[in-house]
Amino acid sequence: MAGNGDMKAHESTYHSVMGLLKWGAVACFVIAFGVIWLISGK
């Protein structure tokens, strides 16, 4: 865990990672939807 006053750095890294995971999940959903749409042939 963050120690010695590194809480600001830890919090910044945490928010960056959570943002990356959130947008990565959105991107995966969009890609999966596109693949399903292509496979369905409609």
Side-chain angles (χ1 to χ4, degrees):
M1 179 126 159
N4 301 329
D6 284 343
M7 200 60 186
K8 291 254 185 215
H10 166 71
E11 198 170 309
S12 174
T13 302
Y14 172 79
H15 287 296
S16 297
V17 170
M18 289 299 113
L20 183 65
L21 288 173
K22 176 178 69 173
W23 288 111
V26 170
C28 286
F29 176 77
V30 169
I31 291 169
F33 179 78
V35 168
I36 291 170
W37 181 69
L38 287 171
I39 290 172
S40 72
K42 291 187 176 183

